[in-house]
Amino acid sequence: MKRKVGDIVKSLEDIVGQEWVITEREYMESYLRDETPDVLRPSAAEDLILVKPSSTKEVSQILKTANQMRVPVFPVGGRTGLVGGSVPTEPGIILSLERMNKIEVDKENLMAIAEAGATLGDLIKAAEDADLFFPLHPGDEGAQIGGLISTNAGGVRAVKYGVMRNYVKGIEIVLPTGEILNLGGRLIKNNTGYDLMHLIIGSEGTLCVITKAILKLYPKSGYSVTLVLPFNSRADAIRAVPKILQSGVIPLAVEYVGIKELNKAAKHLSEEWPVQSADAQLIIILSGSSEDEVYSDCEKISEIAEENNAGEALIAETREEQERILRIRSNIYTALKPDMVDILDVTVPMNRLGDLMDEIDKIAERYGVYLPVYGHAGDGNLHIHLMKKNGEVPSYIEEIRDEIYSVGIRLGGVITGEHGIGKIRIEKVSKVLAEKEISLMREIKRIFDPNNILNPGKVLPSN
Ligand SMILES: Cc1cc2nc3c(=O)[nH]c(=O)nc-3n(C[C@H](O)[C@H](O)[C@H](O)COP(=O)(O)OP(=O)(O)OC[C@H]3O[C@@H](n4cnc5c(N)ncnc54)[C@H](O)[C@@H]3O)c2cc1C
């Protein structure tokens, strides 16, 4: 690779201009890692070149050149991923689209046309400025459109509007050959041939580079409230979730959280969690077109909560208070991170969530470890943290992880509902997917990327 790096730098400079090709390690440090906990994050390779194109045409020329020279390309977004997906693990090119960050809002069609380097925060703001709403909210607003699509991100607000896949109506992509394709469009219906767009959503940078997307927006909901419901026990809280969803109310979010983790997150932010009356809590976000509609939903939920032994609810109405609650919830991960070994995102059918939690308690007890568990209860998607014990990584951590995965699969679930496979989950793929599925996926990878230059060594186990 050493010789190739020298050869390719000149070609890349000719494409994007000298100032956008970075070869000094000290100026690319933040591109060498994502948010995967330190213990697990794969190491970045030596001999890397960071390139920042400004247009799809430049991305196309970069990929064509890399493909001809058989140089690996690692597309990176906001590097907020949790599975080492964007880490450049082989010598090659780090491709950052951060300069491609324009967003245009098509108000008539309720869609945004966003370049892949725009951040989630930028998109939320652009929608709001146009009096519209982009509901998706995985915890870190620094994630970029390309990363959100490549990981099919979820987050707290998937109950009502779904995951990233539900928002994407069109994408512009560049294949490793440099060919540019537009898939989908500003359309609600499209049944023309195989759906390549949905194949690419969630493909974690292994099939193509996404340069632009057409994303569904929603009218701003006129009114919203956030409820914090304290329950007598976790079992009560989890039992209430399907009942709430069966009642006809469709909340924006239904999150299960424990007081210990909430207090840690609040402390981390120098704030205080406002409800201290019970360990097990549900955070429910409701939105609707009028105050009456939202309050009628609130009443229905309060009745169900009461029937399931909930204490007095906190009803947050002001925007500031609602944002504070979401901010504290979103920071549980960051607060736990220093002592964390791994964050799992096992997903099971929603009605098996309680069983999954009970089994995880048994595993924690058997190994004598603290396994904080919280997450997107309305989606059956749980975040289970594997933690250090007395500051050390327990020697039996792999056994704990495998036991949790086995329980999740036995309950009809999968090992990841949101974060994907990236680099760190590759060895576990065959626990969930049949050999035939994996071999079909390998064939698809070969068709898109015959020279294996795009994000090599990610998602699929080697033969
Ligand atoms: C505090 C915190 C909370 C989080 N909460 C959630 C959550 O609730 N739900 C959830 O789903 N995730 C969550 N995440 C994970 C993360 O934010 C998402 O996976 C996000 O979608 C990653 O986007 P990114 O731009 O940071 O991508 P990166 O981490 O930079 O990359 C992720 C993958 O996308 C590929 N990629 C990036 N850009 C492109 C492109 N233009 N073309 C092709 N491939 C590309 C990369 O190669 C890599 O494989 C959380 C992370 C943090 C730190």
Side-chain angles (χ1 to χ4, degrees):
M1 175 67 196
K2 275 233 158 66
R3 192 189 60 80
K4 274 192 199 162
V5 168
D7 292 348
I8 203 168
V9 166
K10 176 78 182 67
S11 311
L12 294 173
E13 286 176 350
D14 289 345
I15 297 168
V16 298
Q18 214 173 2
E19 69 177 301
W20 303 112
V21 179
I22 293 127
T23 50
E24 298 89 343
R25 194 82 172 180
E26 66 263 39
Y27 297 123
M28 61 171 83
E29 280 301 329
S30 73
Y31 296 83
L32 305 179
R33 64 177 76 93
D34 63 4
E35 287 292 329
T36 308
D38 296 346
V39 175
L40 281 183
R41 193 188 316 114
S43 307
E46 298 296 322
D47 294 322
L48 290 161
I49 310 165
L50 170 61
V51 185
K52 301 182 181 182
S54 67
S55 68
T56 302
K57 192 172 160 212
E58 288 180 4
V59 174
S60 158
Q61 289 170 333
I62 292 166
L63 288 190
K64 194 171 171 188
T65 306
N67 199 34
Q68 280 165 354
M69 298 180 79
R70 308 287 193 265
V71 174
V73 177
F74 297 90
V76 300
R79 287 95 73 206
T80 68
L82 297 169
V83 288
S86 66
V87 179
T89 44
E90 296 178 22
I93 297 169
I94 304 169
L95 183 67
S96 170
L97 305 194
E98 68 201 61
R99 293 171 66 212
M100 296 171 61
N101 60 2
K102 286 188 212 64
I103 300 176
E104 171 207 328
V105 173
D106 173 355
K107 225 174 152 169
E108 297 234 304
N109 285 307
L110 287 100
M111 295 203 190
I113 297 86
E115 288 187 316
T119 64
L120 174 62
D122 296 336
L123 179 61
I124 290 171
K125 179 160 186 325
E128 195 166 312
D129 289 348
D131 225 17
L132 293 169
F133 180 41
F134 184 72
L136 187 93
H137 202 277
D140 194 323
E141 292 185 11
Q144 295 177 5
I145 304 304
L148 293 164
I149 298 174
S150 300
T151 56
N152 186 26
V156 293
R157 293 182 186 151
V159 183
K160 189 166 186 171
Y161 296 102
V163 296
M164 193 62 184
R165 184 180 297 287
N166 300 78
Y167 295 86
V168 182
K169 299 298 163 199
I171 45 176
E172 177 189 79
I173 59 165
V174 183
L175 297 173
T177 51
E179 289 159 289
I180 300 166
L181 289 182
N182 281 287
L183 309 174
R186 299 181 200 201
L187 304 166
I188 300 298
K189 294 181 172 176
N190 180 1
N191 275 346
T192 326
Y194 295 154
D195 201 331
L196 296 180
M197 184 179 83
H198 279 282
L199 177 62
I200 283 153
I201 299 169
S203 63
E204 300 187 52
T206 59
L207 300 180
C208 61
V209 173
I210 298 161
T211 44
K212 203 187 276 182
I214 300 171
L215 303 166
K216 177 100 188 80
L217 300 177
Y218 286 85
K220 252 188 197 164
S221 49
Y223 206 77
S224 88
V225 298
T226 299
L227 292 171
V228 181
L229 296 161
F231 284 83
N232 255 357
S233 70
R234 188 180 70 197
D236 286 330
I238 294 301
R239 216 179 3 254
V241 174
K243 293 185 181 147
I244 290 168
L245 298 179
Q246 285 157 19
S247 72
V249 176
I250 310 175
L252 201 56
V254 181
E255 294 287 296
Y256 171 82
V257 275
I259 189 78
K260 190 170 168 187
E261 290 75 37
L262 286 167
N263 282 339
K264 279 191 181 168
K267 191 170 169 209
H268 173 76
L269 295 169
S270 307
E271 305 212 35
E272 270 184 32
W273 182 249
V275 180
Q276 294 292 331
S277 53
D279 285 352
Q281 304 193 9
L282 291 181
I283 302 173
I284 299 182
I285 308 178
L286 294 170
S287 63
S289 54
S290 71
E291 196 170 339
D292 284 352
E293 182 192 337
V294 171
Y295 274 94
S296 146
D297 287 353
C298 242
E299 263 171 41
K300 276 190 206 161
I301 290 181
S302 298
E303 274 169 32
I304 296 167
E306 230 171 87
E307 286 161 16
N308 287 277
N309 307 320
E312 197 179 334
L314 172 101
I315 304 178
E317 292 167 290
T318 64
R319 187 179 171 148
E320 292 71 37
E321 182 63 0
Q322 294 192 64
E323 282 179 356
R324 191 164 82 92
I325 288 170
L326 182 60
R327 187 168 58 248
I328 295 174
R329 155 63 189 91
S330 295
N331 269 277
I332 294 179
Y333 171 76
T334 322
L336 295 176
K337 202 173 173 195
D339 267 335
M340 193 189 299
V341 181
D342 198 357
I343 172 175
L344 308 183
D345 66 319
V346 173
T347 302
V348 293
M350 201 236 307
N351 68 344
R352 307 309 302 271
L353 204 60
D355 298 330
L356 178 62
M357 287 174 156
D358 291 346
E359 292 296 327
I360 291 167
D361 278 354
K362 286 184 205 159
I363 295 170
E365 206 179 311
R366 211 166 39 249
Y367 286 93
V369 290
Y370 165 48
L371 295 176
V373 165
Y374 62 92
H376 315 307
D379 311 322
N381 179 200
L382 215 56
H383 293 314
I384 308 133
H385 292 254
L386 310 188
M387 305 295 285
K388 292 179 188 163
K389 195 174 176 184
N390 305 323
E392 303 284 337
V393 179
S395 58
Y396 37 81
I397 204 80
E398 197 58 32
E399 284 88 332
I400 297 180
R401 190 184 290 114
D402 278 345
E403 285 195 32
I404 295 172
Y405 281 160
S406 298
V407 169
I409 293 165
R410 182 159 49 76
L411 293 171
V414 288
I415 62 170
T416 169
E418 296 198 314
H419 303 157
I421 300 300
K423 183 75 178 168
I424 67 168
R425 308 273 180 240
I426 284 190
E427 299 311 320
K428 310 293 177 190
V429 168
S430 53
K431 275 183 174 285
V432 189
L433 299 181
E435 194 43 51
K436 185 67 190 176
E437 282 177 279
I438 297 173
S439 75
L440 284 170
M441 288 183 193
R442 285 196 186 113
E443 286 303 311
I444 289 167
K445 167 75 176 165
R446 257 192 288 277
I447 292 167
F448 273 82
D449 183 18
N451 297 321
N452 193 25
I453 63 152
L454 268 180
N455 217 1
K458 308 289 172 63
V459 182
L460 293 172
S462 47
N463 283 323

